[in-house]
Amino acid sequence: MHIDSFFACSNSKLEEADFIIFGIPYDATQSFKPGSRFAPNAIREASWNLEDYSFFSRFPLYKAKICDAGNVNTDGTFEEIIERVSNFMRSFSGIPIALGGEHSISYAVARNVSNACFVIFDAHLDMRSDFDGNPYSHACTARRIYELGNEVVLIGVRSCSEEELEFAESEGIEIYSALDILTRGIDFIFDKINAEKIYLSVDMDVFDPAFAPGVSTPEPFGLNPLDLLRFINNFSGKIVGMDIVEVVPDIEKVTQTLAARLIVEFIARKCISSSSH
Ligand code: MN
Ligand code: MN
């Protein structure tokens, strides 16, 4: 048994890697259960318990060029963190895989991704203009990303304020609720997303708390992780970046293990889709 402080299949230098894993351990605006600042390292630790082979994609991870670049310094104001994330992301050309931290960090990453449709898996709309006076709260992430001029699609939603929903619907933002996915199956979304490039943001509270108990704001009636696996397997060829946020490491290591597994499956399927083109 070996456990180390970097993601288990990290095997390449930053400049050479096709996949760049990095943490942004920021949870200063977390409104309910704090602790997602500990998630990047907990996900890394959990990764050592996983096979470096994807059964579903029949792909060994050592064939992928992966760099775990460590964590971005999250001292100071959120504006300073945004600047640091941008500076860091300018230093590589591989696919970014960001580990939160709370959902706010997706905005810091999104600012450096252009011409992509932002597909956000989240129990919450995150469409508030501000929360407790803070426009960079985790409860405002989808709104901030949308305001950058991006197409936004929300999947797995089952919680919001009346104002948020009115805003989202008046803007024509596509929302697929957890009930939509349950009754119609995730596959019905596949031909509704026609973008050439997709950025995938996974707020882990999109899953049912039974599957992912370690999140900052748990919500009943959630998705099955296999739904997201099917989404990844279908769209991996188009996904140009992703983040996994809002994990608050749980004592049984269930939630951080799911996060690590999603990264492994994404990388494996992405490699297969790239080699088949
Ligand atoms: Mn969120
Ligand atoms: Mn959420």
Side-chain angles (χ1 to χ4, degrees):
M1 186 69 207
H2 178 94
I3 296 176
D4 219 319
S5 56
F6 53 93
F7 203 88
C9 28
S10 179
N11 58 12
S12 297
K13 293 200 177 83
L14 185 66
E15 317 80 59
E16 298 157 1
D18 293 322
F19 302 92
I20 316 297
I21 296 169
F22 60 102
I24 310 178
Y26 171 82
D27 66 1
T29 82
Q30 213 111 64
S31 52
F32 188 52
K33 194 165 76 181
S36 66
R37 71 183 68 179
F38 301 113
N41 291 353
I43 295 168
R44 290 177 172 112
E45 183 195 69
S47 72
W48 289 92
N49 181 47
L50 303 176
E51 295 284 359
D52 60 355
Y53 181 77
S54 167
F55 169 81
F56 293 119
S57 292
R58 302 286 194 273
F59 186 85
L61 268 285
Y62 68 82
K63 287 187 175 175
K65 290 182 184 167
I66 304 163
C67 172
D68 183 343
N71 292 339
V72 174
N73 174 4
T74 54
D75 287 343
T77 65
F78 193 67
E79 285 83 356
E80 290 171 314
I81 295 167
I82 285 175
E83 193 60 33
R84 269 185 227 119
V85 170
S86 294
N87 288 338
F88 170 64
M89 289 183 71
R90 276 192 284 271
S91 71
F92 64 83
S93 58
I95 292 174
I97 301 175
L99 311 177
E102 59 174 59
H103 210 163
S104 320
I105 68 99
S106 302
Y107 172 73
V109 176
R111 290 166 53 93
N112 306 288
V113 177
S114 52
N115 303 320
C117 171
F118 282 74
V119 177
I120 303 173
F121 280 73
D122 199 331
H124 309 94
L125 271 186
D126 286 358
M127 279 283 171
R128 285 180 154 87
S129 61
D130 69 86
F131 190 72
D132 289 343
N134 184 354
Y136 296 126
S137 161
H138 63 92
C140 312
T141 299
R143 176 79 168 258
R144 293 291 93 79
I145 290 174
Y146 176 71
E147 287 172 349
L148 289 172
N150 297 306
E151 181 185 358
V152 168
V153 177
L154 290 148
I155 301 176
V157 175
R158 54 198 186 272
S159 172
C160 64
S161 71
E162 189 176 19
E163 294 77 19
E164 286 180 278
L165 187 57
E166 282 172 1
F167 172 81
E169 289 187 332
S170 69
E171 297 287 316
I173 292 168
E174 290 167 85
I175 301 169
Y176 301 101
S177 75
L179 213 47
D180 291 335
I181 307 302
L182 178 76
T183 53
R184 306 181 69 180
I186 187 92
D187 296 24
F188 94 95
I189 292 174
F190 291 173
D191 60 1
K192 298 186 185 297
I193 298 175
N194 300 309
E196 282 307 304
K197 295 203 300 182
I198 291 172
Y199 180 94
L200 174 63
S201 180
V202 181
D203 180 332
M204 288 289 283
D205 65 33
V206 76
F207 300 119
D208 193 90
F211 297 113
V215 294
S216 178
T217 47
E219 283 286 344
F221 311 129
L223 265 53
N224 185 314
L226 285 163
D227 292 325
L228 181 54
L229 183 66
R230 280 188 74 84
F231 182 92
I232 288 172
N233 287 350
N234 188 71
F235 284 111
S236 62
K238 293 182 168 184
I239 295 175
V240 295
M242 75 178 288
D243 61 62
I244 297 189
V245 298
E246 297 281 334
V247 171
V248 175
D250 68 81
I251 192 77
E252 304 296 344
K253 306 186 192 297
V254 170
T255 314
Q256 50 268 47
T257 297
L258 175 56
R261 188 85 240 175
L262 288 169
I263 292 168
V264 167
E265 295 300 337
F266 165 65
I267 292 174
R269 188 54 64 120
K270 179 75 181 174
C271 288
I272 287 179
S273 65
S274 303
S275 65
S276 65
H277 288 176

mmCIF file of all heavy atoms in Angstrom, residues 8-30:
data_model
loop_
_atom_site.group_PDB
_atom_site.id
_atom_site.type_symbol
_atom_site.label_atom_id
_atom_site.label_comp_id
_atom_site.label_asym_id
_atom_site.label_seq_id
_atom_site.Cartn_x
_atom_site.Cartn_y
_atom_site.Cartn_z
ATOM 1 N N ALA A 8 -2.557 9.907 -7.785
ATOM 2 C CA ALA A 8 -1.826 8.655 -7.977
ATOM 3 C C ALA A 8 -1.240 8.480 -9.373
ATOM 4 O O ALA A 8 -0.138 7.975 -9.506
ATOM 5 C CB ALA A 8 -2.749 7.485 -7.643
ATOM 6 N N CYS A 9 -1.956 8.865 -10.412
ATOM 7 C CA CYS A 9 -1.396 8.608 -11.751
ATOM 8 C C CYS A 9 -0.655 9.804 -12.334
ATOM 9 O O CYS A 9 -0.437 9.867 -13.540
ATOM 10 C CB CYS A 9 -2.473 8.083 -12.693
ATOM 11 S SG CYS A 9 -4.126 8.593 -12.337
ATOM 12 N N SER A 10 -0.232 10.733 -11.493
ATOM 13 C CA SER A 10 0.588 11.848 -11.973
ATOM 14 C C SER A 10 1.947 11.316 -12.418
ATOM 15 O O SER A 10 2.647 10.661 -11.652
ATOM 16 C CB SER A 10 0.766 12.871 -10.848
ATOM 17 O OG SER A 10 1.578 13.940 -11.272
ATOM 18 N N ASN A 11 2.293 11.571 -13.687
ATOM 19 C CA ASN A 11 3.514 10.965 -14.230
ATOM 20 C C ASN A 11 4.285 11.884 -15.172
ATOM 21 O O ASN A 11 5.245 11.459 -15.809
ATOM 22 C CB ASN A 11 3.151 9.667 -14.978
ATOM 23 C CG ASN A 11 2.149 9.932 -16.109
ATOM 24 O OD1 ASN A 11 1.901 11.074 -16.480
ATOM 25 N ND2 ASN A 11 1.576 8.874 -16.648
ATOM 26 N N SER A 12 3.851 13.144 -15.326
ATOM 27 C CA SER A 12 4.467 14.009 -16.335
ATOM 28 C C SER A 12 4.765 15.395 -15.773
ATOM 29 O O SER A 12 4.190 15.810 -14.773
ATOM 30 C CB SER A 12 3.540 14.171 -17.548
ATOM 31 O OG SER A 12 3.320 12.940 -18.182
ATOM 32 N N LYS A 13 5.661 16.094 -16.481
ATOM 33 C CA LYS A 13 5.928 17.494 -16.135
ATOM 34 C C LYS A 13 4.802 18.380 -16.675
ATOM 35 O O LYS A 13 4.111 18.014 -17.632
ATOM 36 C CB LYS A 13 7.256 17.937 -16.764
ATOM 37 C CG LYS A 13 8.495 17.267 -16.198
ATOM 38 C CD LYS A 13 9.726 18.128 -16.539
ATOM 39 C CE LYS A 13 10.986 17.548 -15.925
ATOM 40 N NZ LYS A 13 11.566 16.479 -16.755
ATOM 41 N N LEU A 14 4.668 19.558 -16.064
ATOM 42 C CA LEU A 14 3.596 20.489 -16.418
ATOM 43 C C LEU A 14 3.559 20.785 -17.915
ATOM 44 O O LEU A 14 2.503 20.771 -18.535
ATOM 45 C CB LEU A 14 3.782 21.790 -15.619
ATOM 46 C CG LEU A 14 2.688 22.852 -15.761
ATOM 47 C CD1 LEU A 14 1.382 22.356 -15.168
ATOM 48 C CD2 LEU A 14 3.121 24.147 -15.072
ATOM 49 N N GLU A 15 4.734 21.033 -18.506
ATOM 50 C CA GLU A 15 4.790 21.437 -19.907
ATOM 51 C C GLU A 15 4.426 20.288 -20.846
ATOM 52 O O GLU A 15 3.956 20.520 -21.965
ATOM 53 C CB GLU A 15 6.187 21.952 -20.294
ATOM 54 C CG GLU A 15 6.852 22.880 -19.276
ATOM 55 C CD GLU A 15 7.478 22.127 -18.120
ATOM 56 O OE1 GLU A 15 8.353 21.284 -18.366
ATOM 57 O OE2 GLU A 15 7.076 22.372 -16.961
ATOM 58 N N GLU A 16 4.658 19.068 -20.415
ATOM 59 C CA GLU A 16 4.457 17.917 -21.307
ATOM 60 C C GLU A 16 3.095 17.253 -21.126
ATOM 61 O O GLU A 16 2.675 16.455 -21.978
ATOM 62 C CB GLU A 16 5.547 16.860 -21.044
ATOM 63 C CG GLU A 16 6.950 17.355 -21.315
ATOM 64 C CD GLU A 16 8.006 16.554 -20.555
ATOM 65 O OE1 GLU A 16 7.632 15.599 -19.839
ATOM 66 O OE2 GLU A 16 9.182 16.910 -20.671
ATOM 67 N N ALA A 17 2.421 17.570 -20.038
ATOM 68 C CA ALA A 17 1.211 16.815 -19.692
ATOM 69 C C ALA A 17 0.016 17.202 -20.569
ATOM 70 O O ALA A 17 -0.129 18.354 -20.974
ATOM 71 C CB ALA A 17 0.868 17.025 -18.230
ATOM 72 N N ASP A 18 -0.846 16.238 -20.833
ATOM 73 C CA ASP A 18 -2.114 16.496 -21.516
ATOM 74 C C ASP A 18 -3.219 16.827 -20.512
ATOM 75 O O ASP A 18 -4.238 17.405 -20.879
ATOM 76 C CB ASP A 18 -2.534 15.264 -22.331
ATOM 77 C CG ASP A 18 -1.590 15.009 -23.487
ATOM 78 O OD1 ASP A 18 -1.132 15.992 -24.105
ATOM 79 O OD2 ASP A 18 -1.286 13.831 -23.770
ATOM 80 N N PHE A 19 -3.025 16.429 -19.266
ATOM 81 C CA PHE A 19 -4.008 16.687 -18.205
ATOM 82 C C PHE A 19 -3.299 17.307 -17.008
ATOM 83 O O PHE A 19 -2.319 16.729 -16.512
ATOM 84 C CB PHE A 19 -4.698 15.385 -17.777
ATOM 85 C CG PHE A 19 -5.392 14.674 -18.900
ATOM 86 C CD1 PHE A 19 -4.731 13.702 -19.644
ATOM 87 C CD2 PHE A 19 -6.712 14.975 -19.225
ATOM 88 C CE1 PHE A 19 -5.364 13.046 -20.700
ATOM 89 C CE2 PHE A 19 -7.352 14.315 -20.270
ATOM 90 C CZ PHE A 19 -6.681 13.362 -21.011
ATOM 91 N N ILE A 20 -3.796 18.455 -16.562
ATOM 92 C CA ILE A 20 -3.179 19.155 -15.434
ATOM 93 C C ILE A 20 -4.157 19.162 -14.267
ATOM 94 O O ILE A 20 -5.203 19.827 -14.312
ATOM 95 C CB ILE A 20 -2.834 20.622 -15.783
ATOM 96 C CG1 ILE A 20 -2.191 20.731 -17.167
ATOM 97 C CG2 ILE A 20 -1.973 21.224 -14.680
ATOM 98 C CD1 ILE A 20 -0.877 20.043 -17.330
ATOM 99 N N ILE A 21 -3.834 18.416 -13.237
ATOM 100 C CA ILE A 21 -4.648 18.407 -12.020
ATOM 101 C C ILE A 21 -4.074 19.447 -11.056
ATOM 102 O O ILE A 21 -2.866 19.465 -10.811
ATOM 103 C CB ILE A 21 -4.625 17.009 -11.368
ATOM 104 C CG1 ILE A 21 -5.266 15.972 -12.309
ATOM 105 C CG2 ILE A 21 -5.337 17.019 -10.014
ATOM 106 C CD1 ILE A 21 -5.046 14.525 -11.877
ATOM 107 N N PHE A 22 -4.938 20.314 -10.544
ATOM 108 C CA PHE A 22 -4.458 21.280 -9.540
ATOM 109 C C PHE A 22 -5.577 21.613 -8.562
ATOM 110 O O PHE A 22 -6.754 21.614 -8.920
ATOM 111 C CB PHE A 22 -3.899 22.548 -10.195
ATOM 112 C CG PHE A 22 -4.878 23.313 -11.040
ATOM 113 C CD1 PHE A 22 -5.479 24.471 -10.556
ATOM 114 C CD2 PHE A 22 -5.200 22.887 -12.326
ATOM 115 C CE1 PHE A 22 -6.383 25.193 -11.338
ATOM 116 C CE2 PHE A 22 -6.104 23.591 -13.110
ATOM 117 C CZ PHE A 22 -6.697 24.749 -12.614
ATOM 118 N N GLY A 23 -5.194 21.885 -7.324
ATOM 119 C CA GLY A 23 -6.172 22.190 -6.288
ATOM 120 C C GLY A 23 -6.298 23.687 -6.049
ATOM 121 O O GLY A 23 -5.330 24.434 -6.208
ATOM 122 N N ILE A 24 -7.517 24.096 -5.676
ATOM 123 C CA ILE A 24 -7.740 25.476 -5.230
ATOM 124 C C ILE A 24 -8.487 25.358 -3.895
ATOM 125 O O ILE A 24 -9.715 25.381 -3.840
ATOM 126 C CB ILE A 24 -8.557 26.294 -6.257
ATOM 127 C CG1 ILE A 24 -7.951 26.155 -7.664
ATOM 128 C CG2 ILE A 24 -8.610 27.762 -5.826
ATOM 129 C CD1 ILE A 24 -8.730 26.893 -8.751
ATOM 130 N N PRO A 25 -7.724 25.218 -2.809
ATOM 131 C CA PRO A 25 -8.342 24.893 -1.506
ATOM 132 C C PRO A 25 -8.928 26.122 -0.808
ATOM 133 O O PRO A 25 -8.456 26.575 0.226
ATOM 134 C CB PRO A 25 -7.172 24.298 -0.715
ATOM 135 C CG PRO A 25 -5.954 24.912 -1.309
ATOM 136 C CD PRO A 25 -6.254 25.189 -2.759
ATOM 137 N N TYR A 26 -10.016 26.617 -1.407
ATOM 138 C CA TYR A 26 -10.654 27.849 -0.935
ATOM 139 C C TYR A 26 -12.090 27.554 -0.513
ATOM 140 O O TYR A 26 -12.859 27.005 -1.305
ATOM 141 C CB TYR A 26 -10.644 28.873 -2.079
ATOM 142 C CG TYR A 26 -11.441 30.123 -1.830
ATOM 143 C CD1 TYR A 26 -10.907 31.183 -1.100
ATOM 144 C CD2 TYR A 26 -12.729 30.269 -2.333
ATOM 145 C CE1 TYR A 26 -11.639 32.345 -0.879
ATOM 146 C CE2 TYR A 26 -13.472 31.417 -2.114
ATOM 147 C CZ TYR A 26 -12.918 32.442 -1.394
ATOM 148 O OH TYR A 26 -13.648 33.594 -1.165
ATOM 149 N N ASP A 27 -12.449 27.897 0.735
ATOM 150 C CA ASP A 27 -13.847 27.697 1.149
ATOM 151 C C ASP A 27 -14.343 28.818 2.061
ATOM 152 O O ASP A 27 -15.204 28.601 2.915
ATOM 153 C CB ASP A 27 -14.040 26.315 1.797
ATOM 154 C CG ASP A 27 -13.305 26.155 3.127
ATOM 155 O OD1 ASP A 27 -12.655 27.127 3.570
ATOM 156 O OD2 ASP A 27 -13.374 25.068 3.715
ATOM 157 N N ALA A 28 -13.850 30.033 1.801
ATOM 158 C CA ALA A 28 -14.129 31.154 2.709
ATOM 159 C C ALA A 28 -15.591 31.568 2.754
ATOM 160 O O ALA A 28 -16.035 32.144 3.750
ATOM 161 C CB ALA A 28 -13.259 32.350 2.333
ATOM 162 N N THR A 29 -16.385 31.313 1.678
ATOM 163 C CA THR A 29 -17.795 31.745 1.709
ATOM 164 C C THR A 29 -18.750 30.596 1.980
ATOM 165 O O THR A 29 -19.963 30.755 1.875
ATOM 166 C CB THR A 29 -18.221 32.430 0.378
ATOM 167 O OG1 THR A 29 -18.560 31.438 -0.603
ATOM 168 C CG2 THR A 29 -17.126 33.322 -0.164
ATOM 169 N N GLN A 30 -18.220 29.433 2.307
ATOM 170 C CA GLN A 30 -19.072 28.260 2.538
ATOM 171 C C GLN A 30 -20.129 28.597 3.596
ATOM 172 O O GLN A 30 -19.810 29.055 4.688
ATOM 173 C CB GLN A 30 -18.229 27.088 3.019
ATOM 174 C CG GLN A 30 -18.757 25.758 2.551
ATOM 175 C CD GLN A 30 -17.842 25.106 1.526
ATOM 176 O OE1 GLN A 30 -16.712 24.773 1.815
ATOM 177 N NE2 GLN A 30 -18.343 24.930 0.320
#
